[in-house]
Amino acid sequence: MKVSTAEPGTAVPAAVDDRLFLQGVQRTMQLLEAFSRHPRPLSLAELAAAAGLDKSSVQRIAHTLQALGYLDRQPNGLAPGKKLLDRGFDFLRTEPLIERAVPVLHELRKAIPERVDLSLFDDTSVIYAVRLQSKRETFSATLVGRRMPTFCTSGGRAILAALPEAEAEAVLARSDRTPLTPSTITDLRGLRARLAEARRDGFALCLEESLRGEITLGAAVRDAEGRPVAAIHVAASLAEWEPAAFRRLAPLVLHAAEALSRMR
């Protein structure tokens, strides 16, 4: 399939049929996705630079999105509009796995009084879709929709360990393994060792790899064909938990993940 490069920044992905691909939609999404890298109001010039589009296109797209409620004009620039939350809500309420997961996660939260999350597998990243909070949290750790690297999260590693090894290797090769903390394991040899441990144990344990002072334990959730599609994570503070004690919570997390995997 040939790649169309009619305009800078709007090349059609190589695996996509460019006869059906609408570059206008792609440009719109590029503009909205600019806020993921710059989480603040942006001027038209900043949006153009961040989205890789010309200012004229950005002006027209931004005007349309603002009229529809998907962008909001603020004193210091344009920001995502409240209507975007509606589309996130649409996804959450139409994804059967999330509906099935909520009671399972609440039961796990009763047994383990720490943060309990469900993340969805999306290749090199996982996206948090349900978050049940503990008594202490950072702001970003409370937000549904947060995307994190698969390679350095406990749930992500549990998912990788449940994949065929060749597929897991391919995900690692595609990943941007920039460390999130000084403790993030980024070298392939170290990651392969952690995945081997997760395959042996059935769960993955991470110490301060995504957030300083945090310990997390994750187990994969599988679909009807046995492929990992999501993960259950439990997260706590290293100031309150020794790793050995936290590891003993694994049977509860595994039981929850297996129960959710059995639900159809």
Side-chain angles (χ1 to χ4, degrees), residues 19-258:
R19 297 168 299 177
L20 302 175
F21 192 86
L22 294 177
Q23 289 189 336
V25 176
Q26 183 188 30
R27 290 191 291 270
T28 300
M29 300 314 297
Q30 283 177 231
L31 187 150
L32 290 173
E33 289 167 1
F35 292 102
S36 69
R37 301 181 296 277
H38 306 279
R40 57 180 174 81
L42 299 172
S43 68
L44 285 176
E46 290 173 323
L47 271 175
L53 302 171
D54 65 83
K55 191 173 179 180
S56 176
S57 294
V58 167
Q59 186 173 30
R60 295 194 300 273
I61 295 169
H63 176 78
T64 304
L65 290 174
Q66 187 179 351
L68 295 174
Y70 291 101
L71 283 182
D72 181 40
R73 170 69 66 181
Q74 297 187 3
N76 51 345
L78 290 164
K82 298 179 183 68
K83 205 166 182 180
L84 284 171
L85 287 172
D86 295 339
R87 305 291 72 80
F89 178 68
D90 291 341
F91 173 80
L92 292 171
R93 68 175 176 172
T94 55
E95 172 51 60
L97 178 62
I98 294 174
E99 182 178 4
R100 296 195 302 267
V102 168
V104 173
L105 297 176
H106 275 288
E107 287 301 311
L108 182 60
R109 178 69 174 77
K110 289 178 184 177
I112 303 175
E114 298 293 349
R115 193 180 80 233
V116 175
D117 300 323
L118 177 78
S119 70
L120 305 179
F121 179 41
D122 192 24
D123 194 50
T124 60
S125 57
V126 294
I127 307 169
Y128 289 95
V130 183
R131 314 201 81 169
L132 305 182
Q133 303 308 317
S134 69
K135 54 186 175 295
R136 88 203 82 67
E137 292 298 347
T138 60
F139 175 62
S140 60
T142 68
L143 299 177
V144 169
R146 190 183 190 197
R147 186 180 288 267
M148 293 289 287
T150 301
F151 82 93
C152 65
T153 57
S154 61
R157 283 197 192 148
I159 289 169
L160 291 177
L163 287 172
E165 286 192 42
E167 290 186 37
E169 282 287 329
V171 173
L172 291 178
R174 290 193 299 272
S175 297
D176 174 5
R177 299 193 302 277
T178 301
L180 301 184
T181 75
S183 300
T184 306
I185 298 170
T186 61
D187 65 288
L188 288 175
R189 183 176 180 179
L191 289 169
R192 288 167 184 148
R194 294 300 188 276
L195 291 185
E197 291 176 6
R199 291 187 188 101
R200 179 196 68 201
D201 299 336
F203 64 90
L205 189 74
C206 290
L207 300 177
E208 299 189 286
E209 293 199 52
S210 300
L211 186 67
R212 287 188 178 188
E214 184 178 74
I215 182 171
T216 61
L217 191 151
V221 175
R222 300 171 185 261
D223 64 11
E225 285 70 48
R227 288 187 59 82
V229 293
I232 293 175
H233 311 236
V234 176
S237 170
L238 278 170
E240 299 180 8
W241 287 88
E242 291 291 333
F246 199 71
R247 180 181 284 271
R248 288 196 285 274
L249 300 177
L252 294 172
V253 181
L254 285 168
H255 177 75
E258 289 164 5

